[in-house]
Amino acid sequence: MATETQQHAIDTMLLEERRYEAAPDFARQANAQPEIYERDWQEFWETEGRERVTWFEPFTELYEWNPPYAKWYLGGKLNVCFNCVDRHVEAGRGGQVAYYWEGEPEGERREIRFADLQRDVVRFANALKGLGVRKGTPVAIYMGMVPELPVAMLACTRLGAPHTVVFGGFSAESLADRMNDMECEVLITQDEGWRAGKTVPLKRNADEAVANASTVKKVVTLRRTGNDVPFDESRDVWWHEAVDGQSADAESCPCEPMDSEDLLYLLYTSGTTAKPKGIIHTTAGYLVGVAATHHYIFDVKPDSVYWCAADVGWVTGHSYIVYGPLCNGTTGVLYEGVPNYPNPERWWEIIERYKVDILYTAPTAIRSHMKWGPEHAQKHDLSSLRLLGSVGEPINPEAWVWYREHIGGDRTPVVDTWWQTETGMILITPLPGITTLKPGSATKPFPGVDAAVYSENGQTVGPGGGGYLVLKRPWPAMLRGIYKDDERYRETYWSKYEDVYFAGDGARVDEDGDFWLLGRVDDVMNVSGHRISTIEIESALVDHKKVAEAAVCGRKDERTGQAIVAYVTLKGGDEGSIDMLEELRNHVGTKIGPIAKPANIVFTPELPKTRSGKIMRRLLRDVAENRALGDTTTLADPTVVEEIKERAATEAPEE
Ligand code: PRX
């Protein structure tokens, strides 16, 4: 056992045996046909590169790999905005809707056609030019989910100005850090945002940030709520005044021809140290990667209405709300607010109204809907849905099945897509119509992608064993490094194994070659010498009919090294009891084995989550070990963790 444990790096114990074959009628019409897996990987990316995007000058070399740095589509010239906007209008599709936008306050709706998008982007790009933005000028964007957010991003790409979008929920300090690192010269923001019926003080935060970011010379502010906000005449410009009188003619602001490897954007992601990492994405490989994956994985059709319910401030929004879908000329939905405003029916109303056929969201949102109950979805006609997607965290099998049954009418495929800010595009995923689906498994590497699971010492782990997820060859949308920090880039991703990308996630591969993601390596616990991942225990807990959500972490234990602590939210607001605690411990014991029984269970009405919906196990570990709480600024609701602390203190001690 000991040697096996060493060899596998992580023990995996939870078995999920439900299978969903592809339906023949879906398979027949699917964008991806089985031969896709037989294609030579270089031929695949070469063809995608040539056909998926329009080039001003064709590329001459597919890729160059000087580990750990890759270049793709060398020698090519293209423009992202041209591919996402202008070429669709030129092809006569200007009348097609690019975004159906729903504001959070009820009844606020806009339809933005591709021709409208072109007009708005050209006018705003002309306005930015007037403010001194040129090819290479770094621009920061700090906005809510309004149509002007993609407009601002596209205007930057039109001019060849790299952007960094900072999620509107981040603080002034986070914004300043990012602007300083990128040396941004212009900031685009809005007066306020809407979130859960309340206003978010974006301009005030922006002002506070700019006070500590001396490179920023101009601030463009969109009027959204119309409430009074501070305004500095010498530095600030209103969006509506800046575009006033600007030409909307595409010729007045031609798309800048960019080199394939020119910087497209930086997106900052948190790491183990306080300083966020500026993940570098460049032009051609990124665009080809996101457009190709979007086409095959979401099976988008010319008449699709596709809704990725993430925030544009995260990589999911960059790749699968803005660049991938627009490059493919897809009609999308953009929703400004939270899923339960004014009530938990909001999403289902939106799907019914626009006849959405593809929905892409995160496990945390799915579990929230589970908690609110299926009756909200039942009140709406969701029969337009053809495909569901999940991203951001491992999805518990119970949540997967709930999603398919209650949202997908027990007919739609569910694609569980694994990727990262760093990977730029989806890398491990089912292809609908081909793949036999397994709840909880992201299944297979995307065509052209080479993934594996390695042991501690770099050996491939066989079926059933747990280890570390690695990527063995470069892919077009991969990060080109960490901005201004070569050493950290090498250290974080390329030092554990030679010339192989270390993703930092645990995984196992089963007998069919399907991947099961086990969460971040930091979330692995060591109980009596067994390295157990949190996701398997959480999934066993969520499998219990009374449990809505669960988060698990380890705490120090003299006897077993670490002991398992679970935080559980019950359905229907149930408070929990000692009996329930015992029932859940036994349930985990039956599903996985006695070793996985939590030593303690804390019942709580909410779990601490980041604003992108990830459970913050680091804070739960602080609570479990009775330590002062670490940084809580990235929490969506900081009060949650205080409440958990109180409950943990009054919880029954372990046996
Ligand atoms: O741990 C994995 C988890 O999210 C991490 C990447 O987070 P971020 O850069 O914020 O990007 C999120 C959106 C792409 C990964 O290292 N993760 C993401 N998708 C999945 C996942 N874990 C399991 N299954 C997934 N489908």
Side-chain angles (χ1 to χ4, degrees), residues 269 315-316 390-395 416-422 442 503-505 517-520 612 614:
T269 173
V315 74
T316 307
S390 169
V391 61
E393 277 192 296
I395 181 164
D416 173 9
T417 64
W418 178 89
W419 58 297
Q420 307 175 303
T421 304
E422 293 87 338
D505 278 357
L517 278 306
L518 301 171
R520 302 296 299 164
S612 67
K614 287 186 201 200

Side-chain angles (χ1 to χ4, degrees), residues 543-584:
D543 176 76
H544 189 281
K545 59 182 184 307
K546 294 255 171 67
V547 175
E549 270 201 287
V552 161
C553 69
R555 73 159 152 70
K556 280 198 200 74
D557 183 274
E558 279 184 10
R559 193 166 51 90
T560 56
Q562 273 189 311
I564 300 169
V565 182
Y567 299 83
V568 168
T569 306
L570 296 173
K571 284 185 186 156
D574 191 335
E575 289 268 302
S577 61
I578 296 286
D579 287 348
M580 182 50 105
L581 191 152
E582 257 330 287
E583 194 175 320
L584 291 180

Side-chain angles (χ1 to χ4, degrees), residues 348 369-379 402 406-407:
W348 319 125
H369 286 292
M370 283 172 82
K371 197 164 69 179
W372 297 326
E375 61 273 19
H376 305 290
Q378 273 154 17
K379 289 189 212 145
W402 188 94
H406 292 285
I407 308 307

Side-chain angles (χ1 to χ4, degrees), residues 473-539:
R473 74 162 85 99
W475 61 97
M478 72 188 278
L479 75 167
R480 301 300 197 259
I482 297 177
Y483 196 57
K484 297 198 281 200
D485 206 341
D486 170 66
E487 200 182 315
R488 195 168 178 202
Y489 174 58
R490 291 174 188 273
E491 167 65 29
T492 311
Y493 309 105
W494 303 95
S495 64
K496 190 160 175 83
Y497 308 113
E498 201 178 335
D499 294 354
V500 165
Y501 176 88
F502 173 68
D505 278 357
R508 83 178 151 93
V509 181
D510 67 16
E511 296 67 26
D512 304 321
D514 286 330
F515 286 71
W516 298 73
L517 278 306
L518 301 171
R520 302 296 299 164
V521 171
D522 312 341
D523 295 336
V524 172
M525 302 167 294
N526 193 330
V527 183
S528 305
H530 294 274
R531 306 244 308 144
I532 303 175
S533 81
T534 52
I535 179 68
E536 294 196 322
I537 298 169
E538 287 162 5
S539 293

Side-chain angles (χ1 to χ4, degrees), residues 156-206:
C156 287
T157 67
R158 189 174 193 91
L159 299 172
H163 61 66
T164 189
V165 178
V166 178
F167 171 59
F170 274 134
S171 63
E173 196 182 324
S174 310
L175 175 60
D177 286 349
R178 286 155 175 78
M179 292 195 296
N180 283 325
D181 191 61
M182 196 180 180
E183 299 170 64
C184 294
E185 294 175 26
V186 171
L187 167 62
I188 305 166
T189 187
Q190 64 189 62
D191 51 4
E192 294 171 322
W194 282 116
R195 192 189 148 78
K198 299 201 182 74
T199 57
V200 183
L202 293 169
K203 177 64 161 67
R204 278 169 208 280
N205 291 345

Side-chain angles (χ1 to χ4, degrees), residues 45-106:
W45 287 123
E46 173 103 28
T47 309
E48 286 299 321
R50 242 182 287 109
E51 295 176 1
R52 187 93 23 223
V53 305
T54 305
W55 297 86
F56 294 156
E57 279 175 40
F59 59 92
T60 49
E61 199 185 338
L62 179 65
Y63 78 109
E64 190 187 278
W65 178 222
N66 291 317
Y69 289 98
K71 291 182 178 167
W72 281 83
Y73 303 112
L74 288 86
K77 294 252 188 263
L78 75 169
N79 181 282
V80 167
C81 183
F82 181 81
N83 275 279
C84 290
V85 182
D86 294 57
R87 65 169 178 160
H88 305 310
V89 178
E90 284 179 12
R93 293 195 299 272
Q96 187 192 320
V97 173
Y99 290 118
Y100 290 108
W101 178 74
E102 283 249 337
E104 194 189 73
E106 275 182 295

